[in-house]
Amino acid sequence: MGFLQDAPQLPHPYRSDRSLLALLDRALPAGRRAALDADLDALGDYAQMAWRRAYATTRRKPVLTQWDAWGQRVDRIELTTAWQEGPQLTTRHAVLAAGHADSEHARLEEFARVYLYHLASEFYTCPLAMTDGAATAIKASGNRELIERALPHFLSRDASTLWLSGQWMTENSGGSDVGNTETVARKDTSGQWRLYGRKWFSSAVVGEAALALARPEGAGAGTAALALFYVETMDGERRKPELVVDRLKDKLGTHELPTAEIHLDGLPAWPLGELAHGVRQVAPMLNVTRTWNAICAIASMARAISLARDYATRRQAFGRPLIEQPLHAQTLANMQAEFEAAFALAFEVAHLLGRVEHGAAAPQEAALLRLLTPLAKLWTGKLAVKLCSEALECFGGAGYIEDTGLPQLLRDAQVYAIWEGTTNVLSLDSLRALAGDSFEALRASSAIWLAGNDDMHAASAIRQTLDAAARWLDQHATARDTLEAGARGLAFTLARCASAALLARQATWSRQHGEQRSAAALRRFVGRGLDRLVTPDAGDTALLLG
Ligand code: MFK
């Protein structure tokens, strides 16, 4: 036998992740930090086992059986192994329950778990995200009856009582433009609301409940007339007959996730609150699932970089390991710097969410959270694709071969930029946030994050770029089309500034603890430029599209 290449090995996802360890050591009180360790260690063990198992087993997809042998409609979905393990594992480690614990650190502690678990979960994290979002929206509605009925199930620490919730918004007529929703809510003769319509992307159809947008019969057109309803999908062991699973989607990635097209044919439903402004009511859910999206995106980046770095120590080319080749080392270091900045932003959103929810936040932090949530979601979604693609290239041809497990990383990463709002929809959402006082909150917070950091070049680049963004906003404040056309550039600029300032805060702390890497990440990240502002020329755009 000739030469055989060593496969990449996955270092322990928790114990080897210096970014996560440093963040938790910095942000959590010692007692909470210590209490978290066992769950994170176990989830890291599971992630490492799942990566090894993926090598040894043939990948499967969920299978929908619509009819049983006797002609009965059953719509049964057989799930893959990680999905079968999901309820036990996630309730044992309190993945969802942790996020709703009575502490300002609850969300940080939850999302540390999510970050470690996500890649091993085969996207079981998708229905978990929606369940978390539904719990948050139901709490925000103040609907006591629903809070008492659903939350003990959604946040259960016991797999036998766990319920998952879906989020049924997307329809053929309205993906981003949810205001086009065609699903109708109609009261039956007994006064029970029932939903009629077709939902086009339902990723948690295996769940026991869902939040669904529908238009009460007779209400007007548009977003404001939509209402938000709570539904339950099961009648004991059987799916309710008023919920019909039409088919499972054939997707580019996330193959283990049974995304379905469904019909609602009179499914009983209960309004969360008033029978209008459903999008406003579902917004807390959207902001939570967008946070999940960002954390899962950085988990994909961490996995891709971890494997590429390990492989670079095993693979020799031109007489030395790849990691000693200057250009390869440079490529990996650039990836690491971009990742560390995105990591800082995504976890700041998680931590802020907990602080705001528990009334521990300073007044400006709620406005800051409103802005950073879409920024983190949109930027990490794009960056995950870029870094996973770059990581595949680090393996040469092997990165293009299915049974290395590597192409799946890239295919799955593409979903982050689409789910829960595309990059453009999120860029426009950041304009919504900027209409309030979130820009000033970002400026003030950046100054706090930069305090004590001795990287004067980084501090001045961040300040100057924020000034340029403020000027850009002023200049285009009344030209709505230009503002929208440049919204992506603005959003990337603000995301990069916020991330750099957060990285500076981490670097200051890390230096005090004898660690120089975050400072290097900051220098490298800022060196790659913060300003992505553009003022598109409408005439050129028209010419290019003509
Ligand atoms: C593993 C990771 C797991 C991740 C989960 C995966 C799940 C996958 C399944 C899906 O992808 S489901 C589909 C996701 N779809 C979307 O995310 C919808 C994309 N479209 C938007 O986000 C639009 O911006 C939106 C529908 C929310 C609003 O568009 P409109 O129709 O122009 O509404 P409008 O009038 O601007 O906003 C209505 C109200 O909501 C306003 O409040 P008021 O009624 O008080 O004026 C807005 O301020 C408020 N609002 C909108 N977005 C908000 C928000 N409030 C807070 N936060 C937000 N983000």
Side-chain angles (χ1 to χ4, degrees), residues 118 123 125-127 129-130 167 169-170 175-179 201 203 223-224 277 279-281 283-284 286-287 289-290 292-293 296 370 374 416 418-422 425-426 429 432:
H118 170 56
F123 284 79
T125 38
C126 171
M130 290 187 271
Q167 174 204 78
M169 295 204 310
T170 308
S176 298
D177 191 357
V178 170
F201 271 94
S203 286
T223 308
H277 301 294
V279 170
R280 192 195 294 162
Q281 293 174 56
L286 289 183
N287 291 330
T289 53
R290 286 170 181 173
W292 278 73
N293 207 100
C296 293
R370 176 68 186 90
Y416 303 125
I418 296 175
W419 262 355
E420 293 303 305
T422 60
V425 164
L426 270 292
D429 187 52
R432 233 189 241 111

Short mmCIF file of all heavy atoms in Angstrom, two decimals, residues 118 123 125-127 129-130 167 169-170 175-179 201 203 223-224 277 279-281 283-284 286-287 289-290 292-293 296 370 374 416 418-422 425-426 429 432, ligand 1:
data_model
loop_
_atom_site.label_atom_id
_atom_site.label_comp_id
_atom_site.label_asym_id
_atom_site.label_seq_id
_atom_site.Cartn_x
_atom_site.Cartn_y
_atom_site.Cartn_z
N HIS A 118 -24.96 22.14 18.43
CA HIS A 118 -25.61 22.34 17.12
C HIS A 118 -25.14 21.38 16.02
O HIS A 118 -25.95 20.70 15.40
CB HIS A 118 -25.41 23.79 16.66
CG HIS A 118 -25.84 24.01 15.25
ND1 HIS A 118 -27.12 23.72 14.80
CD2 HIS A 118 -25.17 24.47 14.16
CE1 HIS A 118 -27.21 24.00 13.52
NE2 HIS A 118 -26.05 24.45 13.10
N PHE A 123 -29.30 19.46 13.09
CA PHE A 123 -30.29 20.54 12.97
C PHE A 123 -31.58 20.27 13.75
O PHE A 123 -32.62 20.85 13.46
CB PHE A 123 -30.57 20.91 11.50
CG PHE A 123 -29.46 21.74 10.91
CD1 PHE A 123 -28.27 21.15 10.48
CD2 PHE A 123 -29.57 23.11 10.84
CE1 PHE A 123 -27.22 21.92 9.97
CE2 PHE A 123 -28.53 23.89 10.34
CZ PHE A 123 -27.35 23.29 9.90
N THR A 125 -31.57 21.47 16.37
CA THR A 125 -31.56 22.82 16.92
C THR A 125 -32.61 23.73 16.26
O THR A 125 -32.98 24.74 16.84
CB THR A 125 -30.17 23.47 16.75
OG1 THR A 125 -29.65 23.06 15.49
CG2 THR A 125 -29.23 23.05 17.86
N CYS A 126 -33.04 23.37 15.05
CA CYS A 126 -34.05 24.22 14.39
C CYS A 126 -35.37 24.20 15.16
O CYS A 126 -35.85 25.27 15.58
CB CYS A 126 -34.21 23.79 12.94
SG CYS A 126 -35.60 24.60 12.15
N PRO A 127 -35.98 23.03 15.41
CA PRO A 127 -37.19 23.07 16.23
C PRO A 127 -36.95 23.55 17.65
O PRO A 127 -37.84 24.15 18.26
CB PRO A 127 -37.71 21.63 16.20
CG PRO A 127 -36.57 20.80 15.76
CD PRO A 127 -35.75 21.69 14.86
N ALA A 129 -34.92 25.94 18.42
CA ALA A 129 -34.92 27.41 18.29
C ALA A 129 -36.35 27.93 18.27
O ALA A 129 -36.69 28.91 18.93
CB ALA A 129 -34.20 27.82 17.00
N MET A 130 -37.18 27.24 17.51
CA MET A 130 -38.56 27.73 17.39
C MET A 130 -39.34 27.54 18.68
O MET A 130 -40.19 28.36 19.04
CB MET A 130 -39.21 27.06 16.19
CG MET A 130 -38.57 27.59 14.92
SD MET A 130 -39.37 27.04 13.45
CE MET A 130 -38.50 25.54 13.17
N GLN A 167 -42.99 27.28 14.01
CA GLN A 167 -43.28 28.69 13.74
C GLN A 167 -43.79 28.70 12.30
O GLN A 167 -43.01 28.52 11.38
CB GLN A 167 -41.98 29.49 13.87
CG GLN A 167 -42.07 30.95 13.49
CD GLN A 167 -40.69 31.47 13.08
OE1 GLN A 167 -40.21 31.24 11.97
NE2 GLN A 167 -40.04 32.17 13.98
N MET A 169 -45.05 30.59 9.49
CA MET A 169 -45.26 31.90 8.89
C MET A 169 -45.25 31.79 7.37
O MET A 169 -46.16 32.26 6.70
CB MET A 169 -44.15 32.88 9.31
CG MET A 169 -44.14 33.19 10.79
SD MET A 169 -43.37 34.76 11.16
CE MET A 169 -41.85 34.65 10.29
N THR A 170 -44.19 31.19 6.84
CA THR A 170 -43.94 31.27 5.40
C THR A 170 -45.04 30.59 4.58
O THR A 170 -45.44 29.47 4.88
CB THR A 170 -42.59 30.60 5.09
OG1 THR A 170 -41.62 31.18 5.94
CG2 THR A 170 -42.20 30.80 3.64
N GLY A 175 -42.89 34.96 1.64
CA GLY A 175 -41.73 34.42 2.35
C GLY A 175 -41.21 35.52 3.24
O GLY A 175 -41.37 35.49 4.47
N SER A 176 -40.58 36.53 2.61
CA SER A 176 -40.15 37.70 3.37
C SER A 176 -41.33 38.62 3.67
O SER A 176 -41.45 39.16 4.77
CB SER A 176 -39.11 38.50 2.57
OG SER A 176 -37.97 37.71 2.35
N ASP A 177 -42.21 38.76 2.68
CA ASP A 177 -43.34 39.68 2.80
C ASP A 177 -44.52 38.95 3.44
O ASP A 177 -45.50 38.58 2.79
CB ASP A 177 -43.71 40.21 1.41
CG ASP A 177 -44.69 41.38 1.48
OD1 ASP A 177 -45.11 41.72 2.60
OD2 ASP A 177 -45.02 41.92 0.42
N VAL A 178 -44.40 38.77 4.75
CA VAL A 178 -45.36 37.97 5.50
C VAL A 178 -46.77 38.58 5.45
O VAL A 178 -47.77 37.89 5.63
CB VAL A 178 -44.85 37.82 6.96
CG1 VAL A 178 -45.88 37.22 7.87
CG2 VAL A 178 -43.58 36.97 6.97
N GLY A 179 -46.82 39.88 5.15
CA GLY A 179 -48.11 40.57 5.04
C GLY A 179 -49.02 39.97 3.99
O GLY A 179 -50.23 40.24 3.97
N PHE A 201 -43.15 26.28 4.43
CA PHE A 201 -41.89 25.81 5.04
C PHE A 201 -42.15 25.56 6.51
O PHE A 201 -42.16 26.50 7.30
CB PHE A 201 -40.80 26.89 4.95
CG PHE A 201 -39.97 26.85 3.71
CD1 PHE A 201 -40.31 27.62 2.61
CD2 PHE A 201 -38.85 26.05 3.63
CE1 PHE A 201 -39.55 27.59 1.45
CE2 PHE A 201 -38.08 26.00 2.48
CZ PHE A 201 -38.43 26.78 1.39
N SER A 203 -40.51 23.64 9.49
CA SER A 203 -39.36 22.81 9.86
C SER A 203 -39.59 22.04 11.14
O SER A 203 -38.78 21.20 11.50
CB SER A 203 -38.12 23.70 9.99
OG SER A 203 -37.68 24.07 8.71
N THR A 223 -50.00 43.55 6.72
CA THR A 223 -49.36 42.97 7.91
C THR A 223 -50.16 43.23 9.19
O THR A 223 -50.35 42.32 10.01
CB THR A 223 -47.95 43.56 8.09
OG1 THR A 223 -47.24 43.42 6.86
CG2 THR A 223 -47.19 42.88 9.20
N ALA A 224 -50.64 44.47 9.35
CA ALA A 224 -51.24 44.84 10.63
C ALA A 224 -52.49 44.03 10.93
O ALA A 224 -52.86 43.85 12.10
CB ALA A 224 -51.56 46.33 10.64
N HIS A 277 -52.05 42.76 14.52
CA HIS A 277 -50.64 43.00 14.85
C HIS A 277 -49.90 41.71 15.23
O HIS A 277 -49.11 41.68 16.17
CB HIS A 277 -50.51 44.05 15.98
CG HIS A 277 -51.13 45.36 15.61
ND1 HIS A 277 -50.64 46.17 14.61
CD2 HIS A 277 -52.25 45.98 16.07
CE1 HIS A 277 -51.40 47.23 14.48
NE2 HIS A 277 -52.40 47.15 15.34
N VAL A 279 -47.57 40.23 13.57
CA VAL A 279 -46.11 40.28 13.35
C VAL A 279 -45.44 40.94 14.55
O VAL A 279 -44.39 40.48 15.02
CB VAL A 279 -45.77 41.02 12.03
CG1 VAL A 279 -44.28 41.30 11.92
CG2 VAL A 279 -46.22 40.18 10.84
N ARG A 280 -46.07 42.00 15.08
CA ARG A 280 -45.51 42.62 16.28
C ARG A 280 -45.45 41.60 17.42
O ARG A 280 -44.48 41.55 18.18
CB ARG A 280 -46.39 43.81 16.68
CG ARG A 280 -45.78 44.71 17.71
CD ARG A 280 -46.84 45.62 18.32
NE ARG A 280 -47.40 46.59 17.40
CZ ARG A 280 -48.57 47.23 17.62
NH1 ARG A 280 -49.27 47.01 18.72
NH2 ARG A 280 -49.03 48.09 16.74
N GLN A 281 -46.47 40.75 17.51
CA GLN A 281 -46.50 39.76 18.60
C GLN A 281 -45.49 38.63 18.40
O GLN A 281 -45.01 38.04 19.36
CB GLN A 281 -47.91 39.16 18.71
CG GLN A 281 -48.97 40.14 19.17
CD GLN A 281 -50.35 39.51 19.14
OE1 GLN A 281 -50.58 38.47 19.74
NE2 GLN A 281 -51.27 40.11 18.41
N ALA A 283 -42.63 39.07 16.88
CA ALA A 283 -41.26 39.64 16.81
C ALA A 283 -40.33 39.10 17.91
O ALA A 283 -39.16 38.80 17.63
CB ALA A 283 -41.31 41.16 16.82
N PRO A 284 -40.79 38.94 19.17
CA PRO A 284 -39.87 38.37 20.17
C PRO A 284 -39.36 36.99 19.76
O PRO A 284 -38.21 36.62 20.04
CB PRO A 284 -40.73 38.29 21.44
CG PRO A 284 -41.82 39.30 21.24
CD PRO A 284 -42.08 39.32 19.76
N LEU A 286 -39.05 35.95 16.58
CA LEU A 286 -38.10 36.15 15.48
C LEU A 286 -36.73 36.53 16.01
O LEU A 286 -35.70 36.04 15.54
CB LEU A 286 -38.58 37.27 14.55
CG LEU A 286 -39.79 37.00 13.67
CD1 LEU A 286 -40.06 38.21 12.78
CD2 LEU A 286 -39.56 35.77 12.83
N ASN A 287 -36.71 37.42 17.00
CA ASN A 287 -35.41 37.88 17.50
C ASN A 287 -34.66 36.77 18.22
O ASN A 287 -33.43 36.71 18.16
CB ASN A 287 -35.59 39.14 18.36
CG ASN A 287 -36.02 40.33 17.49
OD1 ASN A 287 -35.67 40.40 16.31
ND2 ASN A 287 -36.78 41.25 18.05
N THR A 289 -35.07 33.40 17.46
CA THR A 289 -34.62 32.42 16.46
C THR A 289 -33.47 33.00 15.62
O THR A 289 -32.60 32.26 15.17
CB THR A 289 -35.76 31.95 15.55
OG1 THR A 289 -36.41 33.09 14.98
CG2 THR A 289 -36.77 31.12 16.30
N ARG A 290 -33.45 34.31 15.47
CA ARG A 290 -32.32 34.93 14.75
C ARG A 290 -31.04 34.83 15.57
O ARG A 290 -29.94 34.70 15.02
CB ARG A 290 -32.67 36.38 14.39
CG ARG A 290 -33.67 36.42 13.25
CD ARG A 290 -34.28 37.78 12.96
NE ARG A 290 -35.24 37.63 11.85
CZ ARG A 290 -36.05 38.57 11.42
NH1 ARG A 290 -36.05 39.76 11.99
NH2 ARG A 290 -36.88 38.34 10.42
N TRP A 292 -30.44 32.29 17.61
CA TRP A 292 -30.05 30.89 17.39
C TRP A 292 -29.31 30.77 16.05
O TRP A 292 -28.28 30.09 15.95
CB TRP A 292 -31.28 29.97 17.35
CG TRP A 292 -31.79 29.56 18.68
CD1 TRP A 292 -32.47 30.33 19.57
CD2 TRP A 292 -31.69 28.26 19.28
NE1 TRP A 292 -32.80 29.59 20.69
CE2 TRP A 292 -32.34 28.32 20.53
CE3 TRP A 292 -31.13 27.05 18.88
CZ2 TRP A 292 -32.43 27.22 21.39
CZ3 TRP A 292 -31.22 25.94 19.73
CH2 TRP A 292 -31.85 26.04 20.97
N ASN A 293 -29.86 31.42 15.04
CA ASN A 293 -29.25 31.35 13.71
C ASN A 293 -27.79 31.81 13.77
O ASN A 293 -26.89 31.18 13.20
CB ASN A 293 -30.06 32.25 12.77
CG ASN A 293 -30.00 31.82 11.33
OD1 ASN A 293 -30.91 31.19 10.84
ND2 ASN A 293 -28.92 32.16 10.65
N CYS A 296 -25.62 29.31 15.73
CA CYS A 296 -25.39 28.10 14.95
C CYS A 296 -24.44 28.38 13.78
O CYS A 296 -23.62 27.53 13.41
CB CYS A 296 -26.72 27.53 14.46
SG CYS A 296 -27.73 26.93 15.83
N ARG A 370 -31.66 45.50 20.03
CA ARG A 370 -32.55 45.57 18.86
C ARG A 370 -31.74 45.70 17.57
O ARG A 370 -32.11 45.16 16.54
CB ARG A 370 -33.53 46.75 19.04
CG ARG A 370 -34.45 46.99 17.86
CD ARG A 370 -35.46 45.86 17.69
NE ARG A 370 -36.25 46.02 16.47
CZ ARG A 370 -35.93 45.53 15.27
NH1 ARG A 370 -34.80 44.82 15.12
NH2 ARG A 370 -36.71 45.71 14.23
N PRO A 374 -30.29 41.79 14.36
CA PRO A 374 -30.22 41.59 12.91
C PRO A 374 -28.79 41.65 12.37
O PRO A 374 -28.44 40.91 11.44
CB PRO A 374 -31.08 42.72 12.33
CG PRO A 374 -31.25 43.72 13.42
CD PRO A 374 -31.15 42.96 14.70
N TYR A 416 -28.07 29.50 6.73
CA TYR A 416 -28.09 30.58 7.74
C TYR A 416 -28.44 31.94 7.13
O TYR A 416 -28.99 32.80 7.80
CB TYR A 416 -26.74 30.69 8.46
CG TYR A 416 -26.29 29.42 9.13
CD1 TYR A 416 -25.05 28.86 8.86
CD2 TYR A 416 -27.10 28.78 10.06
CE1 TYR A 416 -24.63 27.71 9.48
CE2 TYR A 416 -26.69 27.62 10.69
CZ TYR A 416 -25.44 27.08 10.39
OH TYR A 416 -25.02 25.94 10.99
N ILE A 418 -30.45 32.41 4.75
CA ILE A 418 -31.81 32.40 4.20
C ILE A 418 -32.85 32.31 5.30
O ILE A 418 -33.83 33.06 5.32
CB ILE A 418 -31.94 31.22 3.20
CG1 ILE A 418 -31.01 31.43 2.01
CG2 ILE A 418 -33.39 31.07 2.75
CD1 ILE A 418 -30.96 30.27 1.03
N TRP A 419 -32.64 31.38 6.23
CA TRP A 419 -33.57 31.19 7.34
C TRP A 419 -33.81 32.48 8.09
O TRP A 419 -32.89 33.27 8.29
CB TRP A 419 -32.93 30.24 8.35
CG TRP A 419 -33.36 28.84 8.24
CD1 TRP A 419 -34.32 28.31 7.43
CD2 TRP A 419 -32.82 27.75 9.00
NE1 TRP A 419 -34.41 26.97 7.64
CE2 TRP A 419 -33.52 26.61 8.60
CE3 TRP A 419 -31.84 27.64 9.97
CZ2 TRP A 419 -33.25 25.35 9.14
CZ3 TRP A 419 -31.57 26.41 10.51
CH2 TRP A 419 -32.28 25.27 10.09
N GLU A 420 -35.01 32.60 8.60
CA GLU A 420 -35.32 33.67 9.56
C GLU A 420 -35.02 35.05 8.99
O GLU A 420 -34.69 35.96 9.73
CB GLU A 420 -34.53 33.45 10.85
CG GLU A 420 -34.96 32.22 11.62
CD GLU A 420 -36.43 32.26 11.97
OE1 GLU A 420 -36.85 33.24 12.58
OE2 GLU A 420 -37.17 31.33 11.60
N GLY A 421 -35.15 35.16 7.68
CA GLY A 421 -34.92 36.46 7.03
C GLY A 421 -33.60 36.46 6.29
O GLY A 421 -32.56 36.15 6.86
N THR A 422 -33.65 36.82 5.00
CA THR A 422 -32.43 36.86 4.19
C THR A 422 -31.55 38.03 4.61
O THR A 422 -31.97 38.90 5.38
CB THR A 422 -32.79 37.06 2.70
OG1 THR A 422 -33.49 38.31 2.61
CG2 THR A 422 -33.68 35.94 2.17
N VAL A 425 -33.36 41.26 3.89
CA VAL A 425 -34.46 41.54 4.82
C VAL A 425 -33.90 41.98 6.17
O VAL A 425 -34.41 42.91 6.80
CB VAL A 425 -35.37 40.29 4.96
CG1 VAL A 425 -36.26 40.40 6.19
CG2 VAL A 425 -36.24 40.15 3.72
N LEU A 426 -32.83 41.34 6.60
CA LEU A 426 -32.23 41.71 7.90
C LEU A 426 -31.54 43.07 7.81
O LEU A 426 -31.53 43.82 8.79
CB LEU A 426 -31.23 40.62 8.32
CG LEU A 426 -31.78 39.47 9.18
CD1 LEU A 426 -32.17 39.95 10.56
CD2 LEU A 426 -32.97 38.77 8.55
N ASP A 429 -34.21 45.38 8.23
CA ASP A 429 -34.64 45.38 9.63
C ASP A 429 -33.69 46.23 10.48
O ASP A 429 -34.12 46.88 11.44
CB ASP A 429 -34.70 43.95 10.18
CG ASP A 429 -35.32 43.92 11.57
OD1 ASP A 429 -36.42 44.49 11.74
OD2 ASP A 429 -34.70 43.37 12.50
N ARG A 432 -34.82 49.61 10.40
CA ARG A 432 -35.94 49.79 11.34
C ARG A 432 -35.39 50.10 12.74
O ARG A 432 -35.86 50.99 13.42
CB ARG A 432 -36.74 48.49 11.40
CG ARG A 432 -38.21 48.65 11.14
CD ARG A 432 -38.95 47.35 11.43
NE ARG A 432 -39.62 46.83 10.27
CZ ARG A 432 -39.28 45.73 9.60
NH1 ARG A 432 -38.27 45.00 9.99
NH2 ARG A 432 -39.96 45.35 8.54
C1 MFK B 1 -30.34 26.17 13.65
C2 MFK B 1 -30.79 27.56 13.66
C3 MFK B 1 -32.24 27.65 13.81
C4 MFK B 1 -32.86 28.87 13.22
C5 MFK B 1 -34.37 28.71 13.05
C6 MFK B 1 -34.75 28.18 11.70
C7 MFK B 1 -36.20 28.36 11.34
C8 MFK B 1 -36.42 28.25 9.87
C9 MFK B 1 -37.82 28.55 9.42
C10 MFK B 1 -37.94 29.89 8.74
O1 MFK B 1 -37.08 30.40 8.08
S1 MFK B 1 -39.40 30.70 9.00
C11 MFK B 1 -39.36 32.08 7.97
C12 MFK B 1 -38.70 33.22 8.54
N1 MFK B 1 -39.32 34.39 7.97
C13 MFK B 1 -38.91 35.58 8.31
O2 MFK B 1 -37.98 35.73 9.07
C14 MFK B 1 -39.71 36.74 7.79
C15 MFK B 1 -38.87 37.72 7.03
N2 MFK B 1 -39.56 39.00 6.97
C16 MFK B 1 -39.37 39.97 7.91
O3 MFK B 1 -38.58 39.81 8.82
C17 MFK B 1 -40.15 41.25 7.80
O4 MFK B 1 -39.30 42.29 8.16
C18 MFK B 1 -41.40 41.22 8.72
C19 MFK B 1 -42.38 40.21 8.21
C20 MFK B 1 -41.03 40.89 10.16
C21 MFK B 1 -42.06 42.61 8.79
O5 MFK B 1 -42.38 43.09 7.53
P1 MFK B 1 -43.58 44.16 7.27
O6 MFK B 1 -44.75 43.43 6.77
O7 MFK B 1 -43.03 45.27 6.42
O8 MFK B 1 -43.99 44.67 8.72
P2 MFK B 1 -43.76 46.03 9.51
O9 MFK B 1 -45.02 46.79 9.39
O10 MFK B 1 -42.50 46.71 9.16
O11 MFK B 1 -43.64 45.46 11.00
C22 MFK B 1 -44.76 45.05 11.73
C23 MFK B 1 -44.46 45.32 13.20
O12 MFK B 1 -43.47 44.38 13.64
C24 MFK B 1 -43.88 46.69 13.44
O13 MFK B 1 -44.30 47.10 14.73
P3 MFK B 1 -45.57 48.04 14.96
O14 MFK B 1 -46.76 47.20 14.61
O15 MFK B 1 -45.52 48.40 16.41
O16 MFK B 1 -45.38 49.21 14.04
C25 MFK B 1 -42.38 46.44 13.46
O17 MFK B 1 -41.68 47.42 14.17
C26 MFK B 1 -42.36 45.10 14.18
N3 MFK B 1 -41.13 44.35 13.89
C27 MFK B 1 -40.77 43.84 12.70
N4 MFK B 1 -39.60 43.19 12.82
C28 MFK B 1 -39.25 43.31 14.12
C29 MFK B 1 -40.24 44.05 14.81
N5 MFK B 1 -40.16 44.30 16.12
C30 MFK B 1 -39.09 43.85 16.79
N6 MFK B 1 -38.12 43.14 16.19
C31 MFK B 1 -38.15 42.85 14.88
N7 MFK B 1 -37.17 42.14 14.33
#
